Amino acid sequence: MIPSALRSSFCAYQVRCFSAVAERAPVLNSVDHDAIEDNWNMAKSYESIPGPSTFNMFRSFMPGGRFHNANFSFLHDTLRQEYGPIYKLKGAFGKRDMVCVSDPKDFATIYRTEGKFPLRRSFESVMHYRMVENKHKFPVTMGLLSEQGEGWSDFRSKVNSVMMKPQVSKGYVSYTDEVSSDFVRKLHKMRDSNQETPADLIYHLNTWAFEGITYVSVNMRLNLFSGKSHVNTDKLMGLLKEFFVLIYELDFQPSLWKIYKTPKFCRMMEIIDYMHKFNGKLLEDGIAKIRVEKEKGNRTKEKCIFEKLYEIDKEIAMIMTLDSLMGGIDTTSTSAFWVIYNIARHPEKQNILREQLCEFLPEKDTPLTPEIMSKLPYLKATIKEALRVNSLTVGNVRTTGQNIVLKGYQIPEKTDMFMHLAAVHMDDHYFPDAKSFLPERWLRSSAKHENFNPFTYLPFGFGSRNCVGQRVAELEIESLVARLVRNYHVEWPGPPPVIKSLPFNMPQGDLKLRLRDV
């Protein structure tokens, strides 16, 4: 979701030294500019950073090459093994260099020196759509994804007051609980004689995420679970899948689209255009519904995100809502899938979670409230651990805000950096017994708890340019998991799903759950 995203902040941990089991990277609380300058003068040149040649990379992505049709995660796992914790992918065909790192100490340096206006050059094809192909449609702002500098800062500060404050996001608990409860009832009716859901679970999770983000954003139910919706869900979900495939091929693989408009680039422009028009129509319908409710004077719920933003800045309200509708479906639904999947595969952890849920939800239909949500630490810990074991993204992208030194190499200002977060998540050096699913590692009351360095776990990014949809996505996932586990013994009847990384880690194949009534 714009992505984006959800409960207590994942980064709010005090940092302490790790035990002798594994040394943890220190956190940079301030920047020593004199030390950086001294290190710069002694460091090896930027040109000497190891990495594959442009020709070898291009050949590797061609048919028969080792990265042809390969996952994004496989690409970086392979290059990390060959070149170590830092390597450079040389830019070509109008693209910039990308330096890749996999050490939390380097993540900390990058984030702590990014400056007042952090730069993030990702999804360049989407930026091109707004900045070049359709600049006339974005005369004031191009949104958080494409804006940079003071324009981005002004946009973000206004959006933060609505989407990032915990006390504000709590007002949407009733929204997300209503949608999740309806969705769980739909799954209940869809079960077969073996109590299993259909094998296209990810599609149905997409409809759940779409219904939820639309409700929170514009206070409108699409009725996607009833079969009576006017929305062409099948077409939209298919285009979203194609969108993420093209993102990977155009923006992360060698591509000529910056030199000439390739067929895939043209297709990408068509898809983005359709999604903007589709979501624009939804926004119009939502605005009309809000206007009618105001005239009738029967508003009882928390104002939706659009209303709150509209009171601050009309243009920002329009763009942010459009981006939320476009970016909040696949990211949230896929994150929810990985949480449900891990719970299903670990019944002993699921039982602990259910015991806690039954304490505060004595009846299966007891409404979720902000007060109840604040009393479910094991639910939050379970979600954190699932998103560590199965990261939604392979890593985060930033652009350096000044000259820095990483692993003894000079990294000039305005260098694009890829931080390989998934590699850290599954490294025993940073997370003891990393392959095990242990929600207890996040609970302060548990003997297995560790005060992890926050730079080892960044599923929603870090700093002022972290995922603006984090809190909304967290609420959606929490409410769905709570409803499923309170009502059912959730089981995974099949083999582990195949993962397609593009660059989000998307599950593939037959995906279904067995839901046995509690």
Side-chain angles (χ1 to χ4, degrees):
M1 117 177 322
I2 284 184
S4 320
L6 320 236
R7 273 122 336 241
S8 58
S9 170
F10 286 160
C11 298
Y13 308 116
Q14 296 178 344
V15 179
R16 69 181 184 187
C17 294
F18 270 112
S19 64
V21 175
E23 178 188 356
R24 302 301 196 255
V27 173
L28 298 179
N29 292 315
S30 61
V31 179
D32 188 339
H33 294 281
D34 291 337
I36 289 177
E37 184 175 355
D38 290 342
N39 289 337
W40 179 271
N41 294 331
M42 295 184 293
K44 290 174 282 188
S45 69
Y46 172 79
E47 289 72 21
S48 64
I49 298 174
S53 68
T54 301
F55 174 76
N56 284 337
M57 278 300 291
F58 186 74
R59 185 176 61 180
S60 295
F61 281 102
M62 297 295 288
R66 60 176 177 165
F67 298 138
H68 180 63
N69 290 331
N71 276 343
F72 193 51
S73 56
F74 174 78
L75 163 69
H76 284 286
D77 286 341
T78 302
L79 295 177
R80 180 173 176 242
Q81 292 174 4
E82 290 184 8
Y83 297 104
I86 184 170
Y87 51 91
K88 180 171 59 179
L89 302 178
K90 296 180 180 179
F93 311 121
K95 295 186 178 181
R96 297 155 55 94
D97 289 355
M98 179 77 76
V99 176
C100 310
V101 292
S102 55
D103 186 333
K105 289 180 291 194
D106 295 335
F107 302 170
T109 301
I110 294 166
Y111 280 119
R112 295 299 194 193
T113 58
E114 60 184 355
K116 184 178 180 181
F117 306 126
L119 294 173
R120 181 174 62 188
R121 292 188 179 92
S122 58
F123 298 176
E124 289 187 281
S125 56
V126 180
M127 294 171 62
H128 182 89
Y129 174 86
R130 294 187 174 183
M131 298 174 68
V132 180
E133 297 289 318
N134 289 276
K135 189 174 182 179
H136 63 284
K137 295 181 181 179
F138 305 90
V140 177
T141 178
M142 291 175 290
L144 287 179
L145 185 65
S146 303
E147 280 289 351
Q148 307 289 354
E150 291 188 18
W152 165 83
S153 180
D154 177 65
F155 193 119
R156 181 67 190 238
S157 64
K158 293 174 180 176
V159 170
N160 279 355
S161 64
V162 172
M163 298 183 69
M164 292 300 290
K165 289 185 177 179
Q167 63 270 28
V168 175
S169 61
K170 287 177 182 178
Y172 299 120
V173 171
S174 63
Y175 285 74
T176 59
D177 186 36
E178 179 184 328
V179 172
S180 292
S181 296
D182 289 348
F183 178 67
V184 169
R185 282 191 283 270
K186 175 189 177 182
L187 289 182
H188 181 91
K189 295 177 181 178
M190 296 174 69
R191 294 182 301 174
D192 61 18
S193 58
N194 293 322
Q195 297 183 314
E196 294 179 1
T197 64
D200 56 348
L201 176 63
I202 198 68
Y203 169 83
H204 296 290
L205 283 172
N206 281 338
T207 65
W208 159 78
F210 191 23
E211 186 84 21
I213 193 61
T214 305
Y215 198 22
V216 170
S217 295
V218 293
N219 191 31
M220 187 170 66
R221 289 297 302 267
L222 300 177
N223 300 315
L224 297 178
F225 311 146
S226 66
K228 300 178 181 179
S229 177
H230 68 284
V231 174
N232 190 342
T233 311
D234 291 347
K235 181 176 181 180
L236 180 66
M237 299 310 172
L239 288 177
L240 278 171
K241 294 293 182 290
E242 192 176 353
F243 172 79
F244 285 112
V245 171
L246 289 173
I247 280 283
Y248 180 47
E249 293 178 349
L250 295 174
D251 296 342
F252 292 89
Q253 292 184 357
S255 174
L256 297 171
W257 71 265
K258 287 194 173 185
I259 298 175
Y260 78 96
K261 296 181 179 180
T262 64
K264 289 184 177 180
F265 169 80
C266 294
R267 177 58 178 164
M268 180 63 138
M269 296 301 102
E270 291 175 0
I271 291 173
I272 298 175
D273 199 53
Y274 175 85
M275 289 194 292
H276 271 275
K277 291 176 180 177
F278 183 97
N279 290 328
K281 180 61 169 62
L282 285 182
L283 183 53
E284 290 177 6
D285 294 344
I287 293 172
K289 181 176 181 293
I290 291 168
R291 186 180 298 116
V292 169
E293 290 184 346
K294 280 187 175 181
E295 291 172 353
K296 291 181 177 180
N298 58 355
R299 301 299 306 281
T300 58
K301 285 193 172 185
E302 181 90 5
K303 289 180 180 179
C304 64
I305 289 174
F306 174 79
E307 283 186 272
K308 293 179 180 180
L309 288 175
Y310 195 89
E311 293 171 355
I312 299 172
D313 188 304
K314 176 181 177 181
E315 191 69 28
I316 284 179
M318 300 290 285
I319 297 298
M320 188 67 245
T321 306
L322 285 171
D323 282 354
S324 296
L325 292 172
M326 185 171 77
I329 300 175
D330 262 271
T331 49
T332 304
S333 61
T334 304
S335 296
F337 171 83
W338 289 124
V339 177
I340 296 167
Y341 170 71
N342 277 282
I343 289 172
R345 292 184 66 244
H346 297 91
E348 74 285 0
K349 306 301 182 184
Q350 184 182 151
N351 289 337
I352 296 172
L353 174 57
R354 184 177 298 104
E355 182 178 350
Q356 186 178 89
L357 288 169
C358 287
E359 178 182 355
F360 297 102
L361 300 174
E363 302 297 330
K364 292 183 178 182
D365 58 355
T366 300
L368 283 170
T369 65
E371 292 71 30
I372 290 176
M373 298 294 270
S374 67
K375 298 175 181 178
L376 300 173
Y378 202 81
L379 173 62
K380 295 173 174 60
T382 298
I383 293 171
K384 287 183 180 181
E385 182 69 350
L387 296 182
R388 181 193 67 81
V389 174
N390 289 105
S391 302
L392 174 64
T393 61
V394 179
N396 297 331
V397 177
R398 284 292 189 275
T399 300
T400 54
Q402 65 178 68
N403 293 341
I404 57 176
V405 175
L406 300 178
K407 294 290 176 288
Y409 293 97
Q410 295 176 346
I411 310 294
E413 180 183 358
K414 296 184 178 179
T415 298
D416 293 340
M417 306 295 302
F418 174 77
M419 291 169 275
H420 193 180
L421 190 62
V424 174
H425 284 179
M426 299 307 292
D427 191 333
D428 289 333
H429 180 75
Y430 303 106
F431 292 96
D433 196 12
K435 291 183 175 60
S436 295
F437 184 72
L438 298 172
E440 290 78 7
R441 71 171 87 235
W442 302 104
L443 296 173
R444 294 188 181 278
S445 59
S446 171
K448 296 180 180 180
H449 172 260
E450 289 272 10
N451 274 329
F452 296 103
N453 177 340
F455 291 99
T456 62
Y457 183 74
L458 302 170
F460 299 101
F462 177 85
S464 59
R465 201 146 193 168
N466 69 334
C467 175
V468 73
Q470 174 180 342
R471 297 199 182 280
V472 174
E474 284 180 332
L475 283 177
E476 290 184 284
I477 297 169
E478 285 179 351
S479 64
L480 177 59
V481 172
R483 286 297 168 204
L484 277 173
V485 175
R486 177 62 185 86
N487 283 272
Y488 305 100
H489 297 280
V490 184
E491 301 171 359
W492 185 258
V498 174
I499 300 175
K500 187 74 173 176
S501 179
L502 331 143
F504 298 119
N505 291 319
M506 315 288 282
Q508 307 289 309
D510 288 346
L511 308 171
K512 57 184 178 180
L513 298 171
R514 181 179 296 119
L515 301 176
R516 293 190 296 105
D517 294 289
V518 169

